[in-house]
Amino acid sequence: MKQSRRKFLKITGLATAAGAAVGYSDTLTAAARLSRRGNPAPDAIYGNAPAPEARIDADGQVKPNADFTVASTVCIGCTTQCGVRVKVDNKSGTVVRAAGNPYHPLSSDPWLPYETPLRESLRWTSNYGESGLENRSTACARGNVVFDKIHDKFRVLTPLKRAGKRGKDKWIPISPEQLIEEVVGGGNLFGEGHVDGLAAIRDLETPIDPANPEYGTVANQLGILGTTDEGRKDFMVFRFLQAFGSKNFSGHSSICGLSMRAGNAAFLSDFNKYPHLKPDFEHCEYLINFGTSPGQAGNPFKRQGKLLARARSEGNLHYVTVTPMLTNSDSIAAGERSRWLPIRPGGDLALAMGMIRWIIDNNRHNSAYLSVPSKAAMERVGEPSFTNASHLVVVAPGHPLEGRMLKASDEAEKEDFLVIDGADGQLKTADSVDAARLEVDETIVYRGEPLAVKSSFSLLKESAFRFTLDEYAKESGIPAEEIAELAQEFTSHGRKVAVDCHGNTMHTTGFYTTWAILSLSALVGSLNYQGGMSAGGGKFKDMKGAAYDLTAYPGKPKQPGIRIDRTRIAYEKTSEFKRNQAAGQPYPAKDQWYPFTNAIETGLITGSINRYPYPLKALISWNANFVYGESGGENTLTEALKDPKASIPLIIAIDPFINESSRLADYIVPDSVLYETWGELNPWGAWLTKTNAVRYPVVAPRQVAFANGEPVCMDSFVIEVGKKLGLPGFGPKAIKAADGSLHPLERPEDFYLRLFENVALDGKPVPDADDEEIRLAGLQDYVPRLRRVSPQNWRKVAYVMARGGRFEGKEGAYKGAHLAKKYGGMVSVYNEIVGTSRSALTAEKYSGVPTFYAARLVKGEPLAKRYPRIEYPLTAFSFKSNVVSTPNTASSRLRDLRYTSTIDIAARTAESLDLAHGDVVELTSPGGRIEGLLRVREGMHPEAIGVEHGFGRSGEGAITVQIGQETLEGLRFRKSGACINLLGFADPDRPGRIALSDFAVGSNSRQVIPVRIRKLSA
Ligand code: SF4
């Protein structure tokens, strides 16, 4: 029976499940007789499995099933954003399954050559020819279920306006036309007095505050918050925010990984683009994961888990995961190749600095690499990267150049750094020297004057040697011998070594933690090496491409002014500083400024609440859940936001759900979700070849529509607002083509199809899609739109859409021993921008090299001093599982897999506190408390308390809301579990209520929370 069935029919997907069940047929049959929640299954053998989307006959013929469409798009089940193929039931128009897109590197490795016909790709992912698992393209457990969100009964499908006071969870549905009229026109919208609408706020002439002209004009008083970029951020920023004339946009980095991103930016000498590094898992020989856990969580979740597993079994990888808790990254099956190193929460900075000390002390660093002082020298000697380790930093106290890198000229833009030639000891420009002296601590003659300088490397060495290995061991909780052992192993694999970090850096010294960790890779020179560190594989040109420049449009205004979150500018450049300096007291400022941070999400809100530097008049919060996502957000923001006059007078949330943040809005604009949405995006990390994914609605969005038939969503909303306001870049002559002609922006497709066209035409254009491919990809309905928007190239755009994007072949990853896509900038052992910056509150100079700081408040007091261990003996940290992802915790199917969360504690700690598995306990921090079920476990650091992030919701169906006459009762399971962010608290040394943050870059601190624990009941 089994044999004949296999010969007779090879079925995509289903064949795998059935094949895997050989030997378990009784179990399978029994299981399949029941469907979800106890209802009988329609088929005794195949259970509830839907019919396959295609059949592969024994001779390899592909027979698509006309009942289904298989469309390529992107999963937004987590921030990884894998390419997926979505199976849509043509009768009901609903998604019934998501699988991996075999063309997309985040779902498949190796991935299909791009020009593989679609028909052939169906064979590739089937069991035909016994291709087995190797060619499978997968979605993870989460990606397989979260599309139930599309039909969630708590989805907002029509615009809502608050009824009564803000935050009372009472709403009335309004028409799309009323929404546009009111948010643009303003007026006495809530019976609480006049509220300025967007038309009044778009004032490009009137200064916000004449006493502080650098604040810019009133238009800056519109702020926009987004979330992780799911392919539409450029539309919001380039087309709407910039046309409006405001500078105030922030994504979610500051509540996710800003300390890590800023540390990478410092290391890679680029505070504009904020690049970041990931290991080349596939060829790495030794990897240290600091506070990140491939295989359990992280980005790209699926890809790095697969590459790690393959490298440890088939490659040469050995790796160590340094976390307070044993994670899924470790595998007993991997034997000695995988190792867990338990660390105190927040101990990573001490560990990394200890390793740096040991490496330098034992001369295990790569001096030859570190001596290469410039790109020109790098190319001459055949290295793929270079550092500023040999560059000279002025250290003469009080000298006008103190903290600056020594240069030949005074031109700010010119990078003619000076070094001491290792061959003859002469001062020369870095470009002219192949090997510069690495250790320098001397007084040189510069422009005829003596000047004290040290090399970047000498400053790093000095910094690392401030503490002994034993002191680093005490701070990190890792014994000195283990620090030494780790450093020795790390320096024993040439360039095929890598480090990674992410969630562990979300605390008060996370910026320096990241920079110290990355500096380990500089000491061995693994950047741009196969098996080393990569800044990513790049992309095909999208916003500015061969066909259109989508960033530019006639009448685009300049955006003068500074940001409300006080980022990207030094306090010393403000009028406030000048006034204070003239009064003889330049410091402190009223609050902190962040000269090398790109954006702080809640800085837009706290800046407004605290009226510093200026208040917002309106906030558009687009899928941003800052109240839930910020540690301390609920404790510091919610009450303040309930008062429109004291916080932000107009809050418009664009959101498919009423969540912890959008419930505090005045209007909710429904947004599309998952497979209803347009977008274009690139991977976040761990990819080595050009990759662009595209999203387009593969199922009809469920929201109500504007008069032109466009469903209400972020894109259509801002188009309607843009047209109503008469903003440049919207309406009939809005989009600029390469030939100078202008095209309309009336609908989302006017923008996104042209964006796809740019991708299709970059370099050697993609082929045309033929009729069969259009049919197989379910694109027939798009043909009229494609012909309208891209008359010359519509078949090329269809080719990209049919494959879910454009993907370079895997053969483009390496050139010899180097990565083909190299990071081209300088690695900063010393960063001049950081080293010449000061705290605006204390005038404290920031260290220009990685250095050890104990966890601290913004003004420098150690947390351990303000909150002594006698009061708070434990330290709470958050972690993520391989199932739940915060944006999708409301998914009913996902919660079938993981119903609730626990508070995790080490067995020996629990025993010492007389606590038992299953106790209901209370955690108390200096600013909050939570309750939860205790899970006593091995594999935990004894000082640590772990709480999985994503539970304990008070939005998205966890609370009861009233919409018009309808009451939607909150669901208990959505509320279930503990929310670690309720333990977050305000930094007591800052004015206003601002959650504890990274002292240097302002990123939210979630990971090193002092707590005590108490049993409530057994
Ligand atoms: S890793 Fe994330 S994006 Fe990828 S399939 Fe899973 S849930 Fe979807």
Side-chain angles (χ1 to χ4, degrees):
M1 164 68 184
K2 282 176 219 143
Q3 276 304 325
S4 62
R5 191 182 69 78
R6 285 177 89 179
K7 277 192 191 141
F8 179 64
L9 187 66
K10 311 258 185 183
I11 300 174
T12 304
L14 193 56
T16 316
V22 173
Y24 299 94
S25 56
D26 291 348
T27 313
L28 176 65
T29 305
R33 285 189 195 283
L34 293 178
S35 97
R36 283 182 82 233
R37 307 184 200 287
N39 296 319
D43 189 288
I45 299 297
Y46 300 126
N48 297 294
E53 53 269 42
R55 298 157 49 129
I56 318 294
D57 285 346
D59 61 357
Q61 291 298 310
V62 178
K63 303 266 176 65
N65 183 341
D67 291 342
F68 299 103
T69 294
V70 181
S72 295
T73 177
V74 175
C75 174
I76 312 289
C78 72
T79 56
T80 299
Q81 301 165 342
C82 301
V84 285
R85 274 179 167 171
V86 174
K87 179 178 171 185
V88 181
D89 182 333
N90 290 336
K91 284 199 197 86
S92 63
T94 55
V95 176
V96 293
R97 178 175 179 240
N101 175 0
Y103 293 96
H104 195 302
L106 293 187
S107 288
S108 192
D109 191 290
W111 55 98
L112 274 180
Y114 190 60
E115 294 183 7
T116 307
L118 275 188
R119 184 174 283 272
E120 174 62 26
S121 76
L122 292 172
R123 238 191 321 265
W124 165 280
T125 49
S126 79
N127 203 29
Y128 178 75
E130 303 295 343
S131 55
L133 289 174
E134 182 60 23
N135 295 337
R136 299 284 158 183
S137 185
T138 53
C140 73
R142 183 166 56 226
N144 267 300
V145 297
V146 292
F147 53 82
D148 64 351
K149 188 174 189 166
I150 296 170
H151 292 278
D152 193 296
K153 74 169 186 173
F154 286 91
R155 257 192 87 177
V156 176
L157 296 172
T158 192
L160 300 178
K161 178 180 180 180
R162 72 174 157 94
K165 299 274 182 213
R166 202 184 259 179
K168 292 291 184 192
D169 300 315
K170 290 195 175 138
W171 302 89
I172 47 168
I174 59 173
S175 69
E177 291 69 33
Q178 183 184 345
L179 168 75
I180 300 297
E181 205 60 45
E182 294 190 4
V183 300
V184 170
N188 186 3
L189 302 171
F190 308 99
E192 298 166 356
H194 177 82
V195 179
D196 276 352
L198 296 177
I201 299 168
R202 193 186 185 252
D203 176 348
L204 301 172
E205 302 295 330
T206 312
I208 294 172
D209 180 353
N212 297 285
E214 70 274 14
Y215 291 1
T217 66
V218 170
N220 258 345
Q221 290 179 280
L222 169 68
I224 301 183
L225 295 179
T227 180
T228 185
D229 183 11
E230 33 75 299
R232 297 187 289 165
K233 189 183 97 178
D234 283 350
F235 181 80
M236 178 60 109
V237 173
F238 285 102
R239 303 302 306 197
F240 183 72
L241 182 84
Q242 293 185 359
F244 192 92
S246 170
K247 290 184 98 82
N248 286 313
F249 176 86
S250 176
H252 83 153
S253 279
S254 66
I255 59 172
C256 179
L258 174 61
S259 291
M260 180 275 293
R261 293 298 297 268
N264 268 274
F267 181 74
L268 296 171
S269 321
D270 189 349
F271 284 120
N272 290 319
K273 294 196 184 115
Y274 262 57
H276 68 109
L277 301 177
K278 287 290 276 186
D280 172 16
F281 291 95
E282 202 167 356
H283 294 91
C284 191
E285 289 186 1
Y286 194 69
L287 165 67
I288 307 179
N289 303 303
F290 289 87
T292 187
S293 181
Q296 170 153 321
N299 194 343
F301 169 59
K302 242 170 42 183
R303 176 170 167 81
Q304 67 181 11
K306 179 170 185 169
L307 294 182
L308 182 94
R310 190 191 286 160
R312 75 184 174 208
S313 55
E314 297 169 18
N316 295 317
L317 180 67
H318 285 67
Y319 65 98
V320 182
T321 304
V322 187
T323 46
M325 187 178 80
L326 181 64
T327 66
N328 289 348
S329 291
D330 285 281
S331 162
I332 292 173
E336 61 174 20
R337 284 173 167 240
S338 136
R339 185 177 158 214
W340 171 52
L341 199 56
I343 192 165
R344 292 175 63 191
D348 310 83
L349 177 53
L351 171 60
M353 289 307 300
M355 288 177 68
I356 291 172
R357 181 191 164 112
W358 188 92
I359 290 168
I360 296 175
D361 207 12
N362 290 276
N363 206 23
R364 299 278 294 182
H365 53 284
N366 188 334
S367 299
Y369 164 74
L370 291 165
S371 301
V372 177
S374 63
K375 187 170 246 176
M378 166 192 110
E379 281 160 7
R380 285 194 297 269
V381 302
E383 282 287 349
S385 70
F386 75 102
T387 76
N388 68 4
S390 60
H391 294 192
L392 304 175
V393 182
V394 178
V395 294
H399 191 281
L401 292 178
E402 186 186 358
R404 307 289 294 272
M405 316 286 307
L406 206 62
K407 297 204 306 183
S409 73
D410 293 325
E411 291 172 49
E413 299 304 314
K414 220 166 173 187
E415 299 200 326
D416 49 356
F417 300 109
L418 293 172
V419 296
I420 295 175
D421 190 337
D424 59 15
Q426 297 299 305
L427 196 63
K428 297 179 185 172
T429 57
D431 276 356
S432 64
V433 173
D434 283 354
R437 189 179 294 167
L438 197 52
E439 294 204 44
V440 181
D441 179 0
E442 61 192 60
T443 297
I444 58 162
V445 177
Y446 177 68
R447 296 181 178 171
E449 301 284 336
L451 187 63
V453 295
K454 292 181 183 175
S455 68
S456 300
F457 181 81
S458 291
L459 287 171
L460 178 65
K461 179 177 176 180
E462 206 171 84
S463 165
F465 279 60
R466 282 171 60 221
F467 298 98
T468 64
L469 216 54
D470 286 336
E471 285 169 318
Y472 287 127
K474 187 163 169 262
E475 290 293 335
S476 64
I478 308 285
E481 315 77 66
E482 289 206 56
I483 297 177
E485 191 190 313
L486 209 57
Q488 175 152 23
E489 193 63 33
F490 186 77
T491 52
S492 299
H493 296 267
R495 311 300 183 94
K496 288 183 179 287
V497 292
V499 287
D500 200 8
C501 62
H502 198 156
N504 63 319
T505 64
M506 286 297 291
H507 60 83
T508 60
T509 59
F511 166 72
Y512 280 102
T513 301
T514 306
W515 195 4
I517 289 169
L518 292 172
S519 295
L520 292 166
S521 78
L523 291 178
V524 294
S526 68
L527 176 62
N528 292 336
Y529 263 91
Q530 186 183 62
M533 304 283 288
S534 159
K539 62 178 181 177
F540 294 95
K541 285 186 192 152
D542 43 20
M543 286 292 285
K544 282 173 102 161
Y548 302 95
D549 180 353
L550 295 166
T551 66
Y553 32 90
K556 187 174 177 179
K558 290 206 161 48
Q559 296 170 274
I562 61 168
R563 291 171 56 87
I564 186 174
D565 53 9
R566 303 186 299 278
T567 60
R568 304 185 202 176
I569 183 170
Y571 161 62
E572 290 78 5
K573 293 197 173 142
T574 65
S575 302
E576 180 189 355
F577 174 78
K578 287 174 193 130
R579 284 193 297 271
N580 289 346
Q581 192 178 41
Q585 196 167 9
Y587 298 92
K590 286 185 196 151
D591 196 1
Q592 190 61 292
W593 292 70
Y594 298 100
F596 44 91
T597 301
N598 62 352
I600 298 175
E601 181 176 34
T602 50
L604 269 68
I605 299 167
T606 54
S608 189
I609 292 170
N610 297 330
R611 294 334 196 216
Y612 182 64
Y614 52 83
L616 288 180
K617 286 174 177 279
L619 175 74
I620 297 177
S621 170
W622 167 41
N623 288 336
N625 195 354
F626 44 85
V627 169
Y628 182 80
E630 170 146 313
S631 177
E634 183 76 47
N635 301 331
T636 57
L637 299 173
T638 301
E639 280 314 306
L641 283 172
K642 283 181 180 169
D643 182 350
K645 291 195 171 67
S647 59
I648 303 168
L650 178 63
I651 301 181
I652 303 159
I654 306 173
D655 208 300
F657 290 95
I658 301 172
N659 63 28
E660 289 82 350
S661 301
S662 58
R663 69 190 287 203
L664 298 167
D666 301 309
Y667 295 89
I668 300 183
V669 182
D671 200 6
S672 41
V673 299
L674 285 160
Y675 308 127
E676 302 169 337
T677 303
W678 292 93
E680 188 269 344
L681 61 160
N682 321 106
W684 185 84
W687 85 113
L688 303 177
T689 47
K690 285 186 189 177
T691 299
N692 299 54
V694 302
R695 310 171 64 203
Y696 56 95
V698 299
V699 288
R702 298 178 58 221
Q703 310 89 279
V704 297
F706 286 110
N708 65 357
E710 283 295 329
V712 179
C713 64
M714 181 281 277
D715 316 82
S716 59
F717 171 69
V718 302
I719 288 172
E720 293 306 315
V721 169
K723 287 196 293 186
K724 184 90 178 170
L725 287 170
L727 293 185
F730 289 89
K733 293 190 172 175
I735 293 178
K736 200 167 128 198
D739 63 5
S741 58
L742 291 170
H743 302 267
L745 175 53
E746 307 273 4
R747 301 165 176 272
E749 68 199 35
D750 293 337
F751 173 82
Y752 289 103
L753 290 177
R754 290 185 171 91
L755 183 59
F756 300 170
E757 190 174 343
N758 275 347
V759 172
L761 297 182
D762 187 32
K764 183 185 170 203
V766 303
D768 288 350
D770 60 22
D771 290 345
E772 184 194 55
E773 294 230 322
I774 287 170
R775 199 176 58 252
L776 279 173
L779 289 172
Q780 302 95 314
D781 291 348
Y782 273 96
V783 170
R785 299 196 243 176
L786 284 162
R787 284 180 182 275
R788 179 181 71 80
V789 177
S790 304
Q792 311 297 325
N793 298 307
W794 71 271
R795 283 189 182 272
K796 296 191 187 303
V797 179
Y799 195 90
V800 170
M801 291 168 75
R803 283 157 179 73
R806 188 171 178 189
F807 313 104
E808 185 185 6
K810 189 164 179 175
E811 67 285 353
Y814 305 105
K815 268 193 187 153
H818 301 166
L819 302 180
K821 312 291 187 301
K822 297 182 187 64
Y823 179 74
M826 176 176 77
V827 167
S828 281
V829 172
Y830 175 87
N831 188 297
E832 181 182 278
I833 293 173
V834 180
T836 53
S837 295
R838 291 174 184 270
S839 163
L841 288 171
T842 61
E844 172 191 6
K845 274 186 175 176
Y846 296 137
S847 172
V849 289
T851 198
F852 176 73
Y853 293 95
R856 54 180 272 179
L857 299 171
V858 71
K859 290 187 183 170
E861 185 179 1
L863 285 189
K865 186 165 174 225
R866 183 68 71 97
Y867 308 111
R869 294 194 82 79
I870 188 87
E871 263 185 83
Y872 300 99
L874 298 167
T875 305
F877 72 97
S878 74
F879 65 93
K880 292 179 181 166
S881 73
N882 53 358
V883 177
V884 164
S885 170
T886 320
N888 292 298
T889 43
S891 160
S892 301
R893 291 185 183 180
L894 204 59
R895 296 296 280 268
D896 279 351
L897 297 173
R898 185 180 290 265
Y899 183 84
T900 191
S901 66
T902 54
I903 290 172
D904 292 358
I905 194 168
R908 64 175 148 139
T909 310
E911 193 180 358
S912 72
L913 296 171
D914 197 21
L915 297 170
H917 193 74
D919 284 350
V920 177
V921 295
E922 175 192 65
L923 290 182
T924 306
S925 74
R929 63 174 290 283
I930 58 174
E931 293 175 13
L933 270 182
L934 192 69
R935 180 166 66 168
V936 176
R937 53 171 293 176
E938 301 296 340
M940 282 283 285
H941 191 281
E943 294 170 24
I945 291 283
V947 183
E948 182 177 349
H949 185 41
F951 292 83
R953 301 295 308 270
S954 52
E956 287 193 45
I959 53 159
T960 299
V961 293
Q962 191 166 342
I963 300 176
Q965 299 306 310
E966 190 185 5
T967 300
L968 279 171
E969 292 288 341
L971 301 174
R972 196 169 156 198
F973 83 86
R974 293 197 180 179
K975 215 179 177 66
S976 177
C979 170
I980 188 170
N981 283 346
L982 295 177
L983 293 172
F985 54 95
D987 186 324
D989 287 351
R990 290 184 73 167
R993 286 178 60 73
I994 296 179
L996 189 69
S997 56
D998 186 315
F999 79 95
V1001 298
S1003 187
N1004 183 228
S1005 175
R1006 175 185 301 135
Q1007 294 297 33
V1008 187
I1009 306 288
V1011 291
R1012 59 175 173 265
I1013 191 165
R1014 178 170 78 94
K1015 176 154 62 178
L1016 295 178
S1017 66

